[in-house]
């Protein structure tokens, strides 16, 4: 039987407008610059095996990978999470902040630790329009389960003489009626939990707090390991969640604090993998998912710059004079967010 194997090479150019803050505009109005090529996909191979009437293989259909393009504001989000930025506003804030401290977009690698839920991919697509594709460290509920090993691998991929940006945080949905903890999903009539992993973990810690169940051990079966860790790391916040006026609104803040503790340990262990004078910018917050006709949001809660020794250089987005690291004998002026003790 005659068989032939050949390689199909795909060359595609993707265009998108770039944006920047106006330096003289405190309201951060957008200034659209001329369209630029963001990236080119060169010679991506698709192996196709032909056997008479049968064809095996796959092709790359870029039309199916579309970002959530709506930029319509959704006031229910800012009512529930004051200070939240639309994805577009967030990307522009990041771009302006990093440019001011000398980051070069062409030499910046972005690592994300966001939940694996598909509703979180639009933010990564938006990031790619400015910084190209990201390194993915996140697992269930947004915890950086890739750990120090994943961070070290990412650091080895940073362009020469470049730096990295890490974005992490849990996510939460806000549906069309303003309910927190749920969201309408594409193609589904009914909404659902968002984040489902977080909601399940909150139910578990509530039962442990109430004495309805015992604290679970981390399972030997790897297929349940991530969710078990999410529940375990949320346990220190059980009483706080129980006392909250709106548990679903408080839940992502608790998860953020648990994740901040984990991210700090990862930076401490793996920062040295960043070569030369490379820096590590770390943005933490809460990702907020909305119905498909509205923009998604992100609530920044911390934005810090570290050197490759894991030392805090400054907190970004505030007055530089106030945030320079103090001498050892001087009192630290930056108030740290409380973090959970998390072992990795």
């Amino acid at each position: 039987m005659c068989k032939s194997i050949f390689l199909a090479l795909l060359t595609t150019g993707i265009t998108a407008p770039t944006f920047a803050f106006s330096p003289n505009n405190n309201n951060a109005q957008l200034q659209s610059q001329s369209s630029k090529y963001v990236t080119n996909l060169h010679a991506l191979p698709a192996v196709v095996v032909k056997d008479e009437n049968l064809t095996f293989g796959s092709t790359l259909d870029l039309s199916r990978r579309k970002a959530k393009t709506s930029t319509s504001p959704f006031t229910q989000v800012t009512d529930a999470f004051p200070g939240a930025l639309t994805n577009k506003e967030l990307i522009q804030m990041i771009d302006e902040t990093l440019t001011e401290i000398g980051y070069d977009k062409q030499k910046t690698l972005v690592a994300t630790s966001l939940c694996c839920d598909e509703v979180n991919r639009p933010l990564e697509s938006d990031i790619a329009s400015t910084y190209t594709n990201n390194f993915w460290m996140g697992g269930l509920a947004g915890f950086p389960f890739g750990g120090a090993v994943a961070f070290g691998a990412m650091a080895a991929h940073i362009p020469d003489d470049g730096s990295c940006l890490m974005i992490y945080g849990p996510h939460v949905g806000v549906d069309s009626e303003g309910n927190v903890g749920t969201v309408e999903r594409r193609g589904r009539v009914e909404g659902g939990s968002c984040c489902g992993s977080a909601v399940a973990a909150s139910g578990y810690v509530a039962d442990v707090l109430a004495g309805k169940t015992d604290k679970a051990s981390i399972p030997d079966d790897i297929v349940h390991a991530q969710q078990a860790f999410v529940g375990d790391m949320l346990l220190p916040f059980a009483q706080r969640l129980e006392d909250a006026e709106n548990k679903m609104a408080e839940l992502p803040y608790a998860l953020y604090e648990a994740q901040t503790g984990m991210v700090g340990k990862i930076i401490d262990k793996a920062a040295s993998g960043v070569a030369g004078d490379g820096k590590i910018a770390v943005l933490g917050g809460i990702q907020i998912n909305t119905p498909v006709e509205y923009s998604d949001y992100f609530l920044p809660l911390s934005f810090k710059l570290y050197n490759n020794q894991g030392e805090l250089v400054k907190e970004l987005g505030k007055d530089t004079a106030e945030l320079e690291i103090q001498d050892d004998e001087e009192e630290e002026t930056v108030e740290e967010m409380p973090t959970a003790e998390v072992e990795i």
Side-chain angles (χ1 to χ4, degrees):
M1 192 180 312
C2 179
K3 297 183 179 180
S4 64
I5 301 177
F6 65 94
L7 293 178
L9 302 181
L10 173 67
T11 303
T12 305
I14 303 175
T15 62
T18 57
F19 299 91
F21 275 105
S22 168
N24 298 317
N25 190 335
N26 292 329
N27 292 324
Q29 296 297 321
L30 305 182
Q31 288 187 327
S32 178
Q33 300 175 341
S34 58
S35 294
K36 303 289 185 183
Y37 281 100
V38 174
T39 186
N40 289 310
L41 304 180
H42 291 295
L44 297 178
V47 178
V48 181
V49 180
K50 288 189 174 181
D51 183 354
E52 294 181 349
N53 297 323
L54 298 178
T55 299
F56 302 91
S58 62
T59 58
L60 181 62
D61 182 1
L62 294 175
S63 68
R64 294 177 62 84
R65 186 174 179 177
K66 294 181 178 178
K68 185 174 182 180
T69 57
S70 174
T71 58
S72 299
F74 189 48
T75 57
Q76 287 89 333
V77 166
T78 51
D79 289 343
F81 297 96
L85 304 175
T86 65
N87 281 5
K88 179 180 284 188
E89 291 169 340
L90 177 73
I91 300 303
Q92 292 169 4
M93 180 274 286
I94 292 171
D95 187 22
E96 181 187 55
T97 302
L98 296 186
T99 298
E100 287 179 352
I101 59 173
Y103 266 59
D104 180 346
K105 286 191 284 289
Q106 300 305 315
K107 296 182 178 181
T108 299
L109 180 60
V110 178
T112 61
S113 182
L114 306 172
C115 182
C116 43
D117 192 322
E118 78 281 355
V119 296
N120 298 319
R121 305 289 73 81
L123 176 56
E124 290 173 338
S125 296
D126 291 340
I127 291 169
S129 69
T130 299
Y131 294 99
T132 196
N133 292 334
N134 60 282
F135 189 103
W136 192 11
M137 293 180 60
L140 289 178
F143 280 91
F145 284 114
V149 172
F151 188 94
M154 178 278 297
H157 302 171
I158 297 172
D160 293 341
D161 302 317
S163 295
C164 65
L165 164 66
M166 180 179 180
I167 302 174
Y168 74 93
H171 73 114
V172 63
V174 178
D175 70 15
S176 57
E177 296 181 356
N179 298 308
V180 178
T182 181
V183 74
E184 296 89 347
R185 294 175 181 268
R186 179 177 61 84
R188 296 182 63 87
V189 175
E190 299 294 332
S193 296
C194 184
C195 165
S197 170
V199 172
S202 70
Y204 159 70
V205 302
D207 285 349
V208 173
L209 181 66
K212 296 179 180 179
T213 189
D214 294 331
K215 180 181 181 298
S217 59
I218 301 301
D220 294 331
D221 187 349
I222 194 171
V223 300
H224 298 298
Q226 284 198 13
Q227 184 60 30
F229 272 106
V230 173
D232 189 66
M233 287 185 279
L234 191 61
L235 271 173
F237 304 93
Q239 188 63 58
R240 169 174 156 183
L241 293 173
E242 193 64 29
D243 295 340
E245 181 178 348
N246 185 335
K247 181 184 288 190
M248 289 299 100
E250 187 65 25
L251 178 58
Y253 286 99
L255 289 166
Y256 161 78
E257 292 185 26
Q259 291 174 21
T260 296
M262 189 172 178
V263 168
K265 292 178 183 293
I266 292 171
I267 297 296
D268 185 58
K269 291 177 182 293
S272 60
V274 178
D277 294 325
K279 300 294 191 295
I280 305 162
V282 182
L283 173 63
I286 297 171
Q287 191 177 9
I288 305 162
N289 312 114
T290 65
V292 293
E293 63 268 29
Y294 297 103
S295 171
D296 285 342
Y297 285 72
F298 190 93
L299 175 62
L301 295 174
S302 61
F303 200 179
K304 300 181 180 183
L305 184 69
Y306 296 87
N307 61 24
N308 58 8
Q309 300 304 308
E311 299 167 336
L312 179 66
V313 176
K314 67 174 66 173
E315 292 199 26
L316 303 173
K318 297 181 181 180
D319 182 73
T320 302
E322 176 189 354
L323 294 168
E324 293 290 350
I325 289 192
Q326 306 298 310
D327 293 334
D328 292 340
E329 69 273 16
E330 293 180 3
E331 182 177 342
E332 180 65 49
T333 61
V334 178
E335 182 177 346
E336 295 291 337
M337 295 286 294
T339 59
E341 288 296 324
V342 180
E343 295 297 330
I344 60 171

